[in-house]
Amino acid sequence: MISVEATDGAARAGLVLTPRGSFRTPCFMPVGTRGTVRAVSSVDLEAAGVEVLLANAYHLMLRPGAEVVAELGGVHRFAGWTGHVLTDSGGYQVFSLAPAVDDDGVTFRSTYDGSLHRLTPEGAVAVQEELGADIQMALDVCPPLPSPPEVVRLAVERTVAWAARARAAHRREGQALFGIVQGGVDGALRAECARRTVELDFAGYGIGGLSVGESRAELLDTLGVTLGELPGDRPRYLMGVGDPVGLVEAIGSGVDMFDCVLPTRLARHGTVLSSQGRLSLRSAAFARDGGPLDPACGCEVCGRWTRGYLRHLLVVNEPAVARLLTVHNLTWTLALVAGARQAVVDGRFAAYRASVLAGWT
C-alpha cells in the first residue's frame, strides 16, 4: 500500500509502508543485477541516499543460485544491504534470449554456461521467495516492439494468466508481490490488461514493455491510459525508465517507482549527468577544467575532485573512476527525483518539470 501525502496534478508524493519500514516516492531504484551495482558498494549506495535496490532474480538464480543466497541469510545479508530490495522475475532477461515459450512457462539457456533451464510463474515466485526480497515481481511476457497485434495479444493473455498463478503460489510473509501490465503501445489492450491484473488484487503494479524503442509520445500516451486503470492506493512502478526527461514526465503522469541501468552504465563509459545536460568526460575540453562535474551537485565527488582529474583517470583507464562517476550519477539522479517529490509537496511541479525539460531537450 502507498500513503499519498501530496498531489500536484497527476504527480504525487507518497510513502510506501513495508514490514522492513518505509520508503519515499517517487523513488528511483538503482539496478544491482548480481546483488551489487557495478563499481560501487552498499556503503556507497547508502551514502548516496538509495532506499530501494533492484536485484535480478534471473542472474542470482543462475549464479550463485537462490539456495546459496538463502543459506547466506537472504539477499539483504548476502549483499550487505540494510535498505529495501525489489527483485524482478527475470522475465525481461529471459525473453531477451529468445526462449521457447508456451502457456505454462519458458525454457531458456543460461547466459553463463549454456545449461538448459525452465521457469514458470510458480517457479519465479519460489526463486524470489528464497532470495527474500521485500518486493517481488510476477513473471510476465515482454514482447519486442514493434510486434504484430496477435503477438502482443498473446503476451497479454499469458501475462494475465501467469499473474493469477503467481498470486495463488505466493506464500512468503512480509514480502509484497506486484503484478505487471503489458500490451505494447495499444491503448485499449493496455487498459484491458491493467483492469484484469487489478482484479487479481496485487500489492502494487509494474508497467512493463515500455522504453524499448517507442517514441516519447507513445510512451506517455500508453502510460496515461494504463495509470487510469490502476488503483490510487497501490504503488505504480514504470520498469526500465531512468533518463531525466523520462523520469519527470512519468512522475507528472502519476508514477511512483522507477528502475534503470542508464545512470550507472553511462558513468562507467565516462558520461556524466549534470544540470547542464550530459557531459562526455573524454572530451579534450575538460583536460584542464578545474571545476566540479556539476557545480549544483552536492555529492562527495563534486565536492572533492575536478573534471580535469576525473578525465585523467578515465583516459588512463584507472578503475577508481568507475566508482567515482557512478557515485555522482546515482546521487544526481536521486536528487532529481527528490527534487520532483519536493516540488509536488510545494505545489510547483509544473515549474520543476519545465526546468528539467529546458536543460535536457
Side-chain angles (χ1 to χ4, degrees), residues 89 137-140 159-160 163 178-182 190 193 197 202 204-209 239:
S89 67
M137 305 301 297
L139 182 65
D140 63 323
T159 292
V160 173
F178 282 20
I180 300 178
V181 178
Q182 288 288 349
R190 278 278 174 179
C193 187
T197 306
F202 286 96
Y205 298 91
I207 303 166
M239 307 173 77

Side-chain angles (χ1 to χ4, degrees), residues 99-115:
V101 189
D102 55 55
D103 288 343
D104 185 57
V106 294
T107 302
F108 63 96
R109 293 195 177 276
S110 166
T111 191
Y112 294 100
D113 60 12
S115 57

Side-chain angles (χ1 to χ4, degrees), residues 184-267:
V185 292
D186 183 323
L189 197 53
R190 278 278 174 179
E192 176 192 333
C193 187
R195 286 192 295 270
R196 293 169 66 185
T197 306
V198 168
E199 287 174 1
L200 297 171
D201 192 29
F202 286 96
Y205 298 91
I207 303 166
L210 292 175
S211 194
V212 291
E214 76 283 354
S215 68
R216 182 79 67 187
E218 287 176 318
L219 185 152
L220 292 175
D221 288 347
T222 304
L223 192 57
V225 169
T226 307
L227 291 170
E229 301 293 340
L230 299 182
D233 63 349
R234 309 295 166 92
R236 305 155 171 178
Y237 164 27
L238 178 57
M239 307 173 77
V241 169
D243 64 288
V245 173
L247 287 170
V248 295
E249 292 283 37
I251 291 170
S253 297
V255 174
D256 305 303
M257 299 168 62
F258 305 86
D259 81 279
C260 193
V261 299
L262 183 71
T264 53
R265 179 176 289 166
L266 288 176

Side-chain angles (χ1 to χ4, degrees), residues 283-289 307-309 311:
S283 170
F286 299 119
R288 290 177 169 81
D289 193 328
R307 291 174 174 178
Y309 174 71
R311 179 185 182 275

Side-chain angles (χ1 to χ4, degrees), residues 2 95 230 336 359:
I2 184 170
F95 282 95
L230 299 182
L336 177 80

Side-chain angles (χ1 to χ4, degrees), residues 139-161:
L139 182 65
D140 63 323
V141 179
C142 183
L145 286 180
S147 288
E150 61 272 16
V151 171
V152 182
R153 164 57 72 179
L154 181 58
V156 165
E157 294 299 330
R158 284 176 169 160
T159 292
V160 173

